[in-house]
Amino acid sequence: MTDTSTTSSTSSPLVEIRNLSFARGNRMIFDGIDMDIPRGKITAIMGPSGTGKTTLLRLIGGQIKPLTGTIKVDGIEVTELSRSALFQLRKRMGMLFQNGALLTDMNVYDNIAFPIREHTRLSEKMIRTLVTMKLQVVGLRGARDLMPSELSGGMARRVAMARAIALDPMMMMYDEPFTGQDPISMGVLVRLIRELNDALGLSSIVVSHDIEEASSIADNIYLLSGGKVVAHGSSEALHNSGSEWAQQFLKGLPDGPVPFHYPANDYAEDLLSTGNSK
Amino acid sequence: MLNYLQHLGASGLSFFQRLGRAHILFAHILGGIPSMLPRLSLVVHQIYSVGVLSLLIILVSGLFVGMVLGLQGYNILVDFGSEETLGVMVSLSLVRELGPVVAALLFAGRAGSALTAEIGLMKSTEQLSAMEMMAIDPIRRVLTPRFLAGFISMPLLAAIFSAVGVIGGQLVGVGLLGVDDGAYWSQMQDSVDLYDDIYNGVIKSIVFGVVVTWIAVFEGYDAIPTSEGVSRATTRTVVHSSLVVLGLDFILTAIMF
C-alpha cells in the first residue's frame, strides 16, 4: 500500500497534474492538461460552464479516474491508490460542495462533529470544544442546534466549510462557493476562504466563474476552455494578457473563442431546407 | 429489424451490468457487517425507521387479512361440516404463505420505497459524495445499517402479521360466526408444526427481507441523481421487489412443502 502520510518537498507544488485527459462518452472534457497548484496559496480554476471545473476537483479527490495522465497530491499519485490509501489521503483534504452537501438528518453541530466522530476516538467533551471552535471561525456558533433545512444557502456553505476543516486538512477544494449568494454572503465567503487559507496554512483550490470574487482572493488563476488550459497566471497578468480567451471570459463578451452559436448547419441552408430534419 | 436487435442487445447488456453492480454492492454490504458490531446504535436507529414505522400498516393489514380468511374459510368449511378446523386453515395460510408474502409486499411498498428515496436523494444532494471526500465509506455508513435493519425487521414484521391475522380470524370465526373457541385454538395447536410450518415461514420472511432491502438500497445507490431518476428508482424498487418476492415464494414453497 502506498504510504499517504509522507510529505514531499515544501517547495514542490501540492498538486501536480500532467498530461491529464478525461472524457464523458465521446465528449473530451480534458485533453492533455498540465497544472500546478502551489502550497499555501489560493488557486482559482475558472472557465465557462461545462468546461469540467467540478470534474477536475473530483479527479484530484480521486472520485473519478482519468483516461490518461497523472495527478500527484503532496507527492502521492492519486490514480494508483488503493481505496483505503485514498481514504487516508482524503482525511488530509477538505471539500466544499456547491450546495454544502450537509447531512440532512443531523443538526449543524452533529454535521461538523461527524468526521471527527468517524475518524477519531476523542471524548464528547473534546469534540464539543473542537466543533465550537470551528463554528466560531465561520461565525455560526449560535446556529449549532439548527437543522440544515433551517439554514440559508450562505449559512449552509459556512457550516460545510466548518465541517471540511474539522480534521485540519492540508488543502481545501471549493466547488462554486459563490454561486447564488447575496452580496453580504458572498463577501463573508470570500473573507473566510482567504482567512482560513492564511490562518490554517492551507492550500486552496477555488472553482468558480464569479470573476470578481475569485480574482480578488486568488494568488493564481487557471482559465479552462475546450478541454485545455487557455491562460494561466496571476489575476493582474490575466487581465493584461493578450489572450483572446482570457479577454472574452474576464470581460464577459458573448462571442469570441467560445462561440455564441452552438455548432450547426449553414443558417440560410437551414431556413430554406424542407427536408426531413427538424 | 436491425434496430430492434440492437435495442435488444443494449437492453440485455444494461440488465447484466446492473445485475453485476447489484452483486458487487451486495458483497460490499456484507463485507461491512462486521464493522457494524461496535456501532449497533446505527442499526437500531434504522430498525426504528424501517421496522417500527412499518408496524401500523402491518398490524392493520394483518388484522383484516385474518378477518377475511376467517370469513371465507368458514363459508367453505361449513359446507363440509368442518368449521371447527377454521383455526388450522387460518393459521397455516398465514404462517406458511400470507404472513411472509403479504408482509414482504407491504414492506417493499412502505420501507423499501422510503429507503430508495432516502438514499437516492442523499446521492442527488451530494451527501454520499461528501462522505466519500471525508474518507467515510457511504456503503458502510449508510447502506449496511439499513440493510441489516431490513434483514432483522422483516421476519419480525411477518411474525406480527401472522399473529394479528390469527387473532383477526378468531374475531370473525369465533366472535361473529360461532365457531367454538376451544376448537379454534386446540386444532391450531395440534396441526401447526414448529419446524415444517413456522420455521419455514420464518426462513421465507428472512429471504424476502434480504431481497427487498437489497433491491431498495441498490436502486437508491444506483439511481440517476435527478428528481426523475430518484422517482423511477423508487418505482422500480416496489415493482421489482414485489415480482421477486412472488417468484421466490413459489420456488421456496416448492422446495419446502
Side-chain angles (χ1 to χ4, degrees), chain A residues 58 61 63 83 87 90-91 93 95 97-99 101-104 106 114-115 118-119 163 173, chain B residues 39 45 118 122 124-139 141 146:
Chain A
R58 290 184 183 276
Q63 286 192 300
R83 192 169 168 80
F87 273 25
R90 281 184 189 160
K91 286 182 192 171
M93 295 173 163
M95 182 156 172
F97 285 82
Q98 199 169 339
N99 61 6
L102 295 176
L103 302 173
T104 45
M106 295 179 187
F114 182 69
E118 290 290 323
H119 292 306
R163 185 179 66 179
M173 295 187 278
Chain B
R39 311 185 65 184
H45 180 72
E118 185 189 14
M122 287 181 85
S124 67
T125 53
E126 294 186 308
Q127 292 178 52
L128 299 183
S129 286
M131 276 191 196
E132 284 197 348
M133 284 309 296
M134 285 187 270
I136 296 160
D137 186 353
I139 295 177
R141 182 61 176 70
R146 282 163 177 77

mmCIF file of all heavy atoms in Angstrom, chain A residues 58 61 63 83 87 90-91 93 95 97-99 101-104 106 114-115 118-119 163 173, chain B residues 39 45 118 122 124-139 141 146:
data_model
loop_
_atom_site.group_PDB
_atom_site.id
_atom_site.type_symbol
_atom_site.label_atom_id
_atom_site.label_comp_id
_atom_site.label_asym_id
_atom_site.label_seq_id
_atom_site.Cartn_x
_atom_site.Cartn_y
_atom_site.Cartn_z
ATOM 1 N N ARG A 58 -13.059 16.523 -8.702
ATOM 2 C CA ARG A 58 -13.342 15.107 -8.449
ATOM 3 C C ARG A 58 -12.142 14.235 -8.845
ATOM 4 O O ARG A 58 -11.876 13.215 -8.225
ATOM 5 C CB ARG A 58 -14.589 14.662 -9.206
ATOM 6 C CG ARG A 58 -15.855 15.271 -8.621
ATOM 7 C CD ARG A 58 -17.101 14.753 -9.300
ATOM 8 N NE ARG A 58 -18.292 15.393 -8.787
ATOM 9 C CZ ARG A 58 -18.941 15.009 -7.689
ATOM 10 N NH1 ARG A 58 -18.521 13.967 -7.016
ATOM 11 N NH2 ARG A 58 -20.015 15.650 -7.276
ATOM 12 N N GLY A 61 -9.604 14.633 -6.111
ATOM 13 C CA GLY A 61 -10.035 13.897 -4.919
ATOM 14 C C GLY A 61 -10.110 12.392 -5.134
ATOM 15 O O GLY A 61 -10.434 11.652 -4.214
ATOM 16 N N GLN A 63 -12.235 10.735 -6.900
ATOM 17 C CA GLN A 63 -13.594 10.180 -7.009
ATOM 18 C C GLN A 63 -13.835 9.590 -8.396
ATOM 19 O O GLN A 63 -14.692 8.731 -8.549
ATOM 20 C CB GLN A 63 -14.634 11.253 -6.702
ATOM 21 C CG GLN A 63 -14.718 11.583 -5.216
ATOM 22 C CD GLN A 63 -15.930 12.416 -4.893
ATOM 23 O OE1 GLN A 63 -16.086 13.515 -5.402
ATOM 24 N NE2 GLN A 63 -16.777 11.908 -4.033
ATOM 25 N N ARG A 83 -8.250 1.818 -2.367
ATOM 26 C CA ARG A 83 -9.359 2.559 -1.739
ATOM 27 C C ARG A 83 -8.980 3.027 -0.329
ATOM 28 O O ARG A 83 -9.245 4.162 0.048
ATOM 29 C CB ARG A 83 -10.591 1.660 -1.693
ATOM 30 C CG ARG A 83 -11.869 2.391 -1.339
ATOM 31 C CD ARG A 83 -13.070 1.494 -1.586
ATOM 32 N NE ARG A 83 -14.293 2.011 -1.008
ATOM 33 C CZ ARG A 83 -15.046 2.957 -1.546
ATOM 34 N NH1 ARG A 83 -14.698 3.512 -2.679
ATOM 35 N NH2 ARG A 83 -16.154 3.366 -0.960
ATOM 36 N N PHE A 87 -8.556 6.857 1.001
ATOM 37 C CA PHE A 87 -9.290 7.407 2.144
ATOM 38 C C PHE A 87 -8.322 8.062 3.143
ATOM 39 O O PHE A 87 -8.645 9.073 3.749
ATOM 40 C CB PHE A 87 -10.111 6.300 2.826
ATOM 41 C CG PHE A 87 -11.484 6.116 2.207
ATOM 42 C CD1 PHE A 87 -11.727 6.482 0.890
ATOM 43 C CD2 PHE A 87 -12.527 5.590 2.940
ATOM 44 C CE1 PHE A 87 -12.976 6.321 0.310
ATOM 45 C CE2 PHE A 87 -13.798 5.426 2.374
ATOM 46 C CZ PHE A 87 -14.012 5.790 1.063
ATOM 47 N N ARG A 90 -7.578 11.362 1.695
ATOM 48 C CA ARG A 90 -8.724 12.280 1.763
ATOM 49 C C ARG A 90 -8.928 12.871 3.150
ATOM 50 O O ARG A 90 -9.561 13.912 3.291
ATOM 51 C CB ARG A 90 -10.001 11.542 1.333
ATOM 52 C CG ARG A 90 -10.124 11.412 -0.170
ATOM 53 C CD ARG A 90 -11.437 10.772 -0.514
ATOM 54 N NE ARG A 90 -11.515 10.425 -1.920
ATOM 55 C CZ ARG A 90 -12.349 9.535 -2.411
ATOM 56 N NH1 ARG A 90 -13.175 8.883 -1.612
ATOM 57 N NH2 ARG A 90 -12.384 9.280 -3.701
ATOM 58 N N LYS A 91 -8.403 12.172 4.172
ATOM 59 C CA LYS A 91 -8.505 12.747 5.523
ATOM 60 C C LYS A 91 -7.732 14.055 5.597
ATOM 61 O O LYS A 91 -7.944 14.869 6.480
ATOM 62 C CB LYS A 91 -7.952 11.761 6.561
ATOM 63 C CG LYS A 91 -8.867 10.597 6.835
ATOM 64 C CD LYS A 91 -8.267 9.715 7.903
ATOM 65 C CE LYS A 91 -9.021 8.397 7.970
ATOM 66 N NZ LYS A 91 -8.347 7.425 8.845
ATOM 67 N N MET A 93 -7.669 16.146 3.016
ATOM 68 C CA MET A 93 -8.284 17.064 2.037
ATOM 69 C C MET A 93 -9.644 17.501 2.567
ATOM 70 O O MET A 93 -10.364 16.700 3.154
ATOM 71 C CB MET A 93 -8.553 16.334 0.718
ATOM 72 C CG MET A 93 -7.367 15.851 -0.035
ATOM 73 S SD MET A 93 -8.009 14.863 -1.423
ATOM 74 C CE MET A 93 -6.590 14.815 -2.469
ATOM 75 N N MET A 95 -13.322 19.365 1.269
ATOM 76 C CA MET A 95 -14.003 19.811 0.044
ATOM 77 C C MET A 95 -15.341 20.442 0.393
ATOM 78 O O MET A 95 -16.111 19.897 1.183
ATOM 79 C CB MET A 95 -14.221 18.636 -0.904
ATOM 80 C CG MET A 95 -14.884 19.073 -2.197
ATOM 81 S SD MET A 95 -14.532 17.950 -3.543
ATOM 82 C CE MET A 95 -15.607 18.583 -4.808
ATOM 83 N N PHE A 97 -18.779 21.379 -1.180
ATOM 84 C CA PHE A 97 -19.619 21.135 -2.357
ATOM 85 C C PHE A 97 -20.486 22.359 -2.636
ATOM 86 O O PHE A 97 -20.742 23.176 -1.751
ATOM 87 C CB PHE A 97 -20.487 19.889 -2.136
ATOM 88 C CG PHE A 97 -19.704 18.611 -2.253
ATOM 89 C CD1 PHE A 97 -18.951 18.138 -1.187
ATOM 90 C CD2 PHE A 97 -19.689 17.904 -3.430
ATOM 91 C CE1 PHE A 97 -18.214 16.972 -1.291
ATOM 92 C CE2 PHE A 97 -18.949 16.734 -3.555
ATOM 93 C CZ PHE A 97 -18.208 16.270 -2.481
ATOM 94 N N GLN A 98 -20.959 22.412 -3.888
ATOM 95 C CA GLN A 98 -21.689 23.595 -4.351
ATOM 96 C C GLN A 98 -22.885 23.934 -3.460
ATOM 97 O O GLN A 98 -23.142 25.079 -3.162
ATOM 98 C CB GLN A 98 -22.149 23.358 -5.789
ATOM 99 C CG GLN A 98 -22.503 24.634 -6.502
ATOM 100 C CD GLN A 98 -22.693 24.401 -7.999
ATOM 101 O OE1 GLN A 98 -22.216 23.428 -8.550
ATOM 102 N NE2 GLN A 98 -23.400 25.292 -8.638
ATOM 103 N N ASN A 99 -23.629 22.895 -3.031
ATOM 104 C CA ASN A 99 -24.807 23.176 -2.197
ATOM 105 C C ASN A 99 -24.544 22.875 -0.730
ATOM 106 O O ASN A 99 -25.474 22.819 0.075
ATOM 107 C CB ASN A 99 -26.028 22.396 -2.707
ATOM 108 C CG ASN A 99 -25.797 20.891 -2.645
ATOM 109 O OD1 ASN A 99 -24.774 20.451 -2.117
ATOM 110 N ND2 ASN A 99 -26.717 20.116 -3.156
ATOM 111 N N ALA A 101 -23.897 20.144 0.749
ATOM 112 C CA ALA A 101 -23.988 18.685 0.955
ATOM 113 C C ALA A 101 -23.994 18.317 2.438
ATOM 114 O O ALA A 101 -23.367 17.340 2.853
ATOM 115 C CB ALA A 101 -22.859 17.963 0.206
ATOM 116 N N LEU A 102 -24.715 19.100 3.239
ATOM 117 C CA LEU A 102 -24.829 18.756 4.664
ATOM 118 C C LEU A 102 -25.728 17.541 4.811
ATOM 119 O O LEU A 102 -26.649 17.348 4.011
ATOM 120 C CB LEU A 102 -25.420 19.931 5.439
ATOM 121 C CG LEU A 102 -24.564 21.201 5.480
ATOM 122 C CD1 LEU A 102 -25.306 22.312 6.204
ATOM 123 C CD2 LEU A 102 -23.226 20.945 6.142
ATOM 124 N N LEU A 103 -25.471 16.739 5.822
ATOM 125 C CA LEU A 103 -26.302 15.559 6.072
ATOM 126 C C LEU A 103 -27.615 16.048 6.678
ATOM 127 O O LEU A 103 -27.627 16.650 7.760
ATOM 128 C CB LEU A 103 -25.573 14.589 7.004
ATOM 129 C CG LEU A 103 -24.214 14.135 6.457
ATOM 130 C CD1 LEU A 103 -23.466 13.317 7.490
ATOM 131 C CD2 LEU A 103 -24.367 13.347 5.174
ATOM 132 N N THR A 104 -28.700 15.811 5.976
ATOM 133 C CA THR A 104 -29.963 16.481 6.310
ATOM 134 C C THR A 104 -30.644 15.907 7.552
ATOM 135 O O THR A 104 -31.559 16.522 8.069
ATOM 136 C CB THR A 104 -30.941 16.392 5.121
ATOM 137 O OG1 THR A 104 -30.910 15.053 4.608
ATOM 138 C CG2 THR A 104 -30.549 17.351 4.011
ATOM 139 N N MET A 106 -29.078 15.428 10.353
ATOM 140 C CA MET A 106 -28.297 15.851 11.531
ATOM 141 C C MET A 106 -28.335 17.361 11.641
ATOM 142 O O MET A 106 -28.411 18.055 10.626
ATOM 143 C CB MET A 106 -26.826 15.447 11.374
ATOM 144 C CG MET A 106 -26.562 13.989 11.345
ATOM 145 S SD MET A 106 -24.790 13.735 11.131
ATOM 146 C CE MET A 106 -24.769 11.974 10.911
ATOM 147 N N PHE A 114 -19.395 15.069 12.747
ATOM 148 C CA PHE A 114 -19.473 13.795 12.019
ATOM 149 C C PHE A 114 -18.099 13.238 11.619
ATOM 150 O O PHE A 114 -17.761 12.104 11.994
ATOM 151 C CB PHE A 114 -20.388 13.981 10.800
ATOM 152 C CG PHE A 114 -20.606 12.742 9.991
ATOM 153 C CD1 PHE A 114 -21.335 11.679 10.493
ATOM 154 C CD2 PHE A 114 -20.083 12.633 8.707
ATOM 155 C CE1 PHE A 114 -21.553 10.538 9.733
ATOM 156 C CE2 PHE A 114 -20.289 11.499 7.946
ATOM 157 C CZ PHE A 114 -21.011 10.446 8.453
ATOM 158 N N PRO A 115 -17.259 13.996 10.881
ATOM 159 C CA PRO A 115 -15.959 13.410 10.508
ATOM 160 C C PRO A 115 -15.056 13.170 11.714
ATOM 161 O O PRO A 115 -14.253 12.228 11.700
ATOM 162 C CB PRO A 115 -15.341 14.454 9.564
ATOM 163 C CG PRO A 115 -16.098 15.707 9.785
ATOM 164 C CD PRO A 115 -17.454 15.327 10.287
ATOM 165 N N GLU A 118 -16.187 9.949 13.273
ATOM 166 C CA GLU A 118 -15.909 8.788 12.421
ATOM 167 C C GLU A 118 -14.428 8.413 12.425
ATOM 168 O O GLU A 118 -14.094 7.246 12.308
ATOM 169 C CB GLU A 118 -16.343 9.079 10.972
ATOM 170 C CG GLU A 118 -17.841 9.162 10.770
ATOM 171 C CD GLU A 118 -18.553 7.821 10.901
ATOM 172 O OE1 GLU A 118 -17.990 6.804 10.472
ATOM 173 O OE2 GLU A 118 -19.678 7.800 11.440
ATOM 174 N N HIS A 119 -13.559 9.422 12.555
ATOM 175 C CA HIS A 119 -12.131 9.148 12.373
ATOM 176 C C HIS A 119 -11.290 9.204 13.643
ATOM 177 O O HIS A 119 -10.108 8.899 13.598
ATOM 178 C CB HIS A 119 -11.538 10.136 11.356
ATOM 179 C CG HIS A 119 -12.055 9.924 9.966
ATOM 180 N ND1 HIS A 119 -11.983 8.714 9.332
ATOM 181 C CD2 HIS A 119 -12.668 10.761 9.098
ATOM 182 C CE1 HIS A 119 -12.522 8.814 8.130
ATOM 183 N NE2 HIS A 119 -12.952 10.044 7.968
ATOM 184 N N ARG A 163 -17.222 22.003 8.602
ATOM 185 C CA ARG A 163 -17.104 20.534 8.578
ATOM 186 C C ARG A 163 -15.857 20.112 7.791
ATOM 187 O O ARG A 163 -15.153 19.182 8.182
ATOM 188 C CB ARG A 163 -18.350 19.933 7.953
ATOM 189 C CG ARG A 163 -18.382 18.424 8.001
ATOM 190 C CD ARG A 163 -19.650 17.870 7.388
ATOM 191 N NE ARG A 163 -19.728 18.134 5.953
ATOM 192 C CZ ARG A 163 -20.723 17.730 5.178
ATOM 193 N NH1 ARG A 163 -21.730 17.068 5.701
ATOM 194 N NH2 ARG A 163 -20.728 17.984 3.880
ATOM 195 N N MET A 173 -10.756 22.313 -1.181
ATOM 196 C CA MET A 173 -11.252 22.479 -2.546
ATOM 197 C C MET A 173 -12.664 23.058 -2.441
ATOM 198 O O MET A 173 -13.509 22.503 -1.728
ATOM 199 C CB MET A 173 -11.283 21.132 -3.267
ATOM 200 C CG MET A 173 -9.890 20.549 -3.451
ATOM 201 S SD MET A 173 -9.885 19.064 -4.488
ATOM 202 C CE MET A 173 -10.360 17.822 -3.320
ATOM 203 N N ARG B 39 -21.084 -0.625 16.434
ATOM 204 C CA ARG B 39 -21.909 0.564 16.206
ATOM 205 C C ARG B 39 -23.369 0.161 16.025
ATOM 206 O O ARG B 39 -24.024 0.556 15.064
ATOM 207 C CB ARG B 39 -21.402 1.306 14.968
ATOM 208 C CG ARG B 39 -19.903 1.518 14.984
ATOM 209 C CD ARG B 39 -19.444 2.346 13.850
ATOM 210 N NE ARG B 39 -19.970 3.692 13.961
ATOM 211 C CZ ARG B 39 -19.787 4.638 13.063
ATOM 212 N NH1 ARG B 39 -19.103 4.370 11.991
ATOM 213 N NH2 ARG B 39 -20.291 5.835 13.225
ATOM 214 N N HIS B 45 -31.234 2.499 15.135
ATOM 215 C CA HIS B 45 -31.900 3.702 14.610
ATOM 216 C C HIS B 45 -32.645 3.369 13.316
ATOM 217 O O HIS B 45 -33.775 3.816 13.100
ATOM 218 C CB HIS B 45 -30.835 4.779 14.367
ATOM 219 C CG HIS B 45 -31.391 6.056 13.823
ATOM 220 N ND1 HIS B 45 -32.143 6.910 14.582
ATOM 221 C CD2 HIS B 45 -31.324 6.605 12.590
ATOM 222 C CE1 HIS B 45 -32.517 7.941 13.834
ATOM 223 N NE2 HIS B 45 -32.027 7.776 12.619
ATOM 224 N N GLU B 118 -34.665 7.823 0.096
ATOM 225 C CA GLU B 118 -33.717 8.483 1.001
ATOM 226 C C GLU B 118 -32.286 8.413 0.456
ATOM 227 O O GLU B 118 -31.587 9.432 0.376
ATOM 228 C CB GLU B 118 -33.786 7.817 2.383
ATOM 229 C CG GLU B 118 -32.920 8.523 3.411
ATOM 230 C CD GLU B 118 -32.799 7.748 4.719
ATOM 231 O OE1 GLU B 118 -33.169 6.552 4.752
ATOM 232 O OE2 GLU B 118 -32.321 8.353 5.691
ATOM 233 N N MET B 122 -29.986 11.386 -1.059
ATOM 234 C CA MET B 122 -28.642 11.642 -0.497
ATOM 235 C C MET B 122 -27.617 11.701 -1.621
ATOM 236 O O MET B 122 -26.682 12.494 -1.580
ATOM 237 C CB MET B 122 -28.248 10.541 0.494
ATOM 238 C CG MET B 122 -28.983 10.609 1.806
ATOM 239 S SD MET B 122 -28.452 9.312 2.927
ATOM 240 C CE MET B 122 -27.017 10.080 3.671
ATOM 241 N N SER B 124 -28.341 12.514 -4.856
ATOM 242 C CA SER B 124 -28.558 13.684 -5.723
ATOM 243 C C SER B 124 -28.166 14.988 -5.026
ATOM 244 O O SER B 124 -27.856 15.966 -5.693
ATOM 245 C CB SER B 124 -30.006 13.729 -6.202
ATOM 246 O OG SER B 124 -30.860 13.965 -5.125
ATOM 247 N N THR B 125 -28.181 15.014 -3.697
ATOM 248 C CA THR B 125 -27.746 16.230 -2.996
ATOM 249 C C THR B 125 -26.267 16.146 -2.584
ATOM 250 O O THR B 125 -25.816 16.906 -1.740
ATOM 251 C CB THR B 125 -28.614 16.499 -1.745
ATOM 252 O OG1 THR B 125 -28.627 15.309 -0.945
ATOM 253 C CG2 THR B 125 -30.030 16.846 -2.124
ATOM 254 N N GLU B 126 -25.562 15.207 -3.147
ATOM 255 C CA GLU B 126 -24.108 15.036 -2.977
ATOM 256 C C GLU B 126 -23.687 14.666 -1.561
ATOM 257 O O GLU B 126 -22.524 14.790 -1.200
ATOM 258 C CB GLU B 126 -23.354 16.307 -3.426
ATOM 259 C CG GLU B 126 -23.489 16.575 -4.921
ATOM 260 C CD GLU B 126 -22.637 17.738 -5.384
ATOM 261 O OE1 GLU B 126 -22.764 18.794 -4.761
ATOM 262 O OE2 GLU B 126 -21.884 17.572 -6.350
ATOM 263 N N GLN B 127 -24.656 14.199 -0.748
ATOM 264 C CA GLN B 127 -24.279 13.808 0.622
ATOM 265 C C GLN B 127 -23.376 12.574 0.615
ATOM 266 O O GLN B 127 -22.466 12.463 1.432
ATOM 267 C CB GLN B 127 -25.539 13.528 1.449
ATOM 268 C CG GLN B 127 -26.369 14.765 1.726
ATOM 269 C CD GLN B 127 -27.631 14.463 2.505
ATOM 270 O OE1 GLN B 127 -27.609 13.825 3.542
ATOM 271 N NE2 GLN B 127 -28.755 14.922 2.003
ATOM 272 N N LEU B 128 -23.637 11.662 -0.337
ATOM 273 C CA LEU B 128 -22.790 10.461 -0.403
ATOM 274 C C LEU B 128 -21.388 10.822 -0.903
ATOM 275 O O LEU B 128 -20.391 10.317 -0.396
ATOM 276 C CB LEU B 128 -23.431 9.402 -1.311
ATOM 277 C CG LEU B 128 -24.813 8.886 -0.887
ATOM 278 C CD1 LEU B 128 -25.289 7.783 -1.833
ATOM 279 C CD2 LEU B 128 -24.809 8.366 0.537
ATOM 280 N N SER B 129 -21.326 11.745 -1.893
ATOM 281 C CA SER B 129 -20.013 12.204 -2.381
ATOM 282 C C SER B 129 -19.252 12.909 -1.273
ATOM 283 O O SER B 129 -18.033 12.735 -1.127
ATOM 284 C CB SER B 129 -20.189 13.186 -3.533
ATOM 285 O OG SER B 129 -20.573 12.511 -4.684
ATOM 286 N N ALA B 130 -19.991 13.717 -0.487
ATOM 287 C CA ALA B 130 -19.339 14.442 0.611
ATOM 288 C C ALA B 130 -18.758 13.451 1.615
ATOM 289 O O ALA B 130 -17.647 13.645 2.117
ATOM 290 C CB ALA B 130 -20.339 15.373 1.294
ATOM 291 N N MET B 131 -19.485 12.372 1.885
ATOM 292 C CA MET B 131 -18.956 11.355 2.815
ATOM 293 C C MET B 131 -17.680 10.745 2.258
ATOM 294 O O MET B 131 -16.704 10.556 2.984
ATOM 295 C CB MET B 131 -19.996 10.241 3.005
ATOM 296 C CG MET B 131 -21.025 10.551 4.034
ATOM 297 S SD MET B 131 -21.962 9.055 4.379
ATOM 298 C CE MET B 131 -23.334 9.798 5.203
ATOM 299 N N GLU B 132 -17.704 10.428 0.957
ATOM 300 C CA GLU B 132 -16.505 9.849 0.342
ATOM 301 C C GLU B 132 -15.329 10.800 0.474
ATOM 302 O O GLU B 132 -14.212 10.381 0.752
ATOM 303 C CB GLU B 132 -16.761 9.546 -1.129
ATOM 304 C CG GLU B 132 -17.600 8.302 -1.313
ATOM 305 C CD GLU B 132 -17.508 7.757 -2.724
ATOM 306 O OE1 GLU B 132 -16.984 8.460 -3.591
ATOM 307 O OE2 GLU B 132 -17.979 6.621 -2.931
ATOM 308 N N MET B 133 -15.584 12.103 0.268
ATOM 309 C CA MET B 133 -14.489 13.071 0.375
ATOM 310 C C MET B 133 -14.033 13.264 1.815
ATOM 311 O O MET B 133 -12.953 13.768 2.067
ATOM 312 C CB MET B 133 -14.899 14.416 -0.240
ATOM 313 C CG MET B 133 -14.893 14.419 -1.759
ATOM 314 S SD MET B 133 -13.355 13.816 -2.500
ATOM 315 C CE MET B 133 -12.181 15.026 -1.937
ATOM 316 N N MET B 134 -14.905 12.875 2.781
ATOM 317 C CA MET B 134 -14.482 12.917 4.188
ATOM 318 C C MET B 134 -13.842 11.596 4.592
ATOM 319 O O MET B 134 -13.664 11.315 5.782
ATOM 320 C CB MET B 134 -15.689 13.189 5.089
ATOM 321 C CG MET B 134 -16.177 14.615 5.064
ATOM 322 S SD MET B 134 -17.472 14.894 6.286
ATOM 323 C CE MET B 134 -18.924 14.513 5.358
ATOM 324 N N ALA B 135 -13.536 10.750 3.578
ATOM 325 C CA ALA B 135 -12.908 9.446 3.816
ATOM 326 C C ALA B 135 -13.818 8.519 4.611
ATOM 327 O O ALA B 135 -13.365 7.716 5.423
ATOM 328 C CB ALA B 135 -11.553 9.604 4.503
ATOM 329 N N ILE B 136 -15.123 8.675 4.417
ATOM 330 C CA ILE B 136 -16.089 7.793 5.079
ATOM 331 C C ILE B 136 -16.805 7.006 3.982
ATOM 332 O O ILE B 136 -17.352 7.602 3.049
ATOM 333 C CB ILE B 136 -17.099 8.617 5.902
ATOM 334 C CG1 ILE B 136 -16.352 9.350 7.020
ATOM 335 C CG2 ILE B 136 -18.206 7.731 6.466
ATOM 336 C CD1 ILE B 136 -17.095 10.521 7.587
ATOM 337 N N ASP B 137 -16.776 5.697 4.095
ATOM 338 C CA ASP B 137 -17.378 4.854 3.063
ATOM 339 C C ASP B 137 -18.904 4.883 3.202
ATOM 340 O O ASP B 137 -19.435 4.374 4.197
ATOM 341 C CB ASP B 137 -16.850 3.419 3.232
ATOM 342 C CG ASP B 137 -17.318 2.497 2.116
ATOM 343 O OD1 ASP B 137 -18.154 2.945 1.299
ATOM 344 O OD2 ASP B 137 -16.862 1.343 2.071
ATOM 345 N N PRO B 138 -19.610 5.467 2.222
ATOM 346 C CA PRO B 138 -21.077 5.552 2.362
ATOM 347 C C PRO B 138 -21.754 4.183 2.355
ATOM 348 O O PRO B 138 -22.828 4.039 2.924
ATOM 349 C CB PRO B 138 -21.516 6.383 1.147
ATOM 350 C CG PRO B 138 -20.385 6.370 0.207
ATOM 351 C CD PRO B 138 -19.145 6.095 0.980
ATOM 352 N N ILE B 139 -21.100 3.189 1.749
ATOM 353 C CA ILE B 139 -21.722 1.855 1.747
ATOM 354 C C ILE B 139 -21.771 1.321 3.180
ATOM 355 O O ILE B 139 -22.786 0.811 3.639
ATOM 356 C CB ILE B 139 -20.954 0.895 0.820
ATOM 357 C CG1 ILE B 139 -21.076 1.389 -0.628
ATOM 358 C CG2 ILE B 139 -21.494 -0.529 0.943
ATOM 359 C CD1 ILE B 139 -20.304 0.578 -1.636
ATOM 360 N N ARG B 141 -21.395 3.196 6.001
ATOM 361 C CA ARG B 141 -22.033 4.105 6.959
ATOM 362 C C ARG B 141 -23.535 4.246 6.716
ATOM 363 O O ARG B 141 -24.305 4.412 7.662
ATOM 364 C CB ARG B 141 -21.344 5.485 6.854
ATOM 365 C CG ARG B 141 -21.856 6.543 7.815
ATOM 366 C CD ARG B 141 -21.658 6.119 9.248
ATOM 367 N NE ARG B 141 -22.060 7.143 10.205
ATOM 368 C CZ ARG B 141 -23.304 7.520 10.435
ATOM 369 N NH1 ARG B 141 -24.296 6.967 9.757
ATOM 370 N NH2 ARG B 141 -23.571 8.447 11.348
ATOM 371 N N ARG B 146 -28.806 0.062 7.045
ATOM 372 C CA ARG B 146 -30.171 -0.035 6.512
ATOM 373 C C ARG B 146 -30.468 -1.466 6.047
ATOM 374 O O ARG B 146 -31.566 -1.969 6.248
ATOM 375 C CB ARG B 146 -30.351 0.965 5.357
ATOM 376 C CG ARG B 146 -30.560 2.389 5.868
ATOM 377 C CD ARG B 146 -30.322 3.436 4.799
ATOM 378 N NE ARG B 146 -30.595 4.775 5.281
ATOM 379 C CZ ARG B 146 -29.801 5.494 6.074
ATOM 380 N NH1 ARG B 146 -28.659 4.970 6.492
ATOM 381 N NH2 ARG B 146 -30.135 6.707 6.474
#
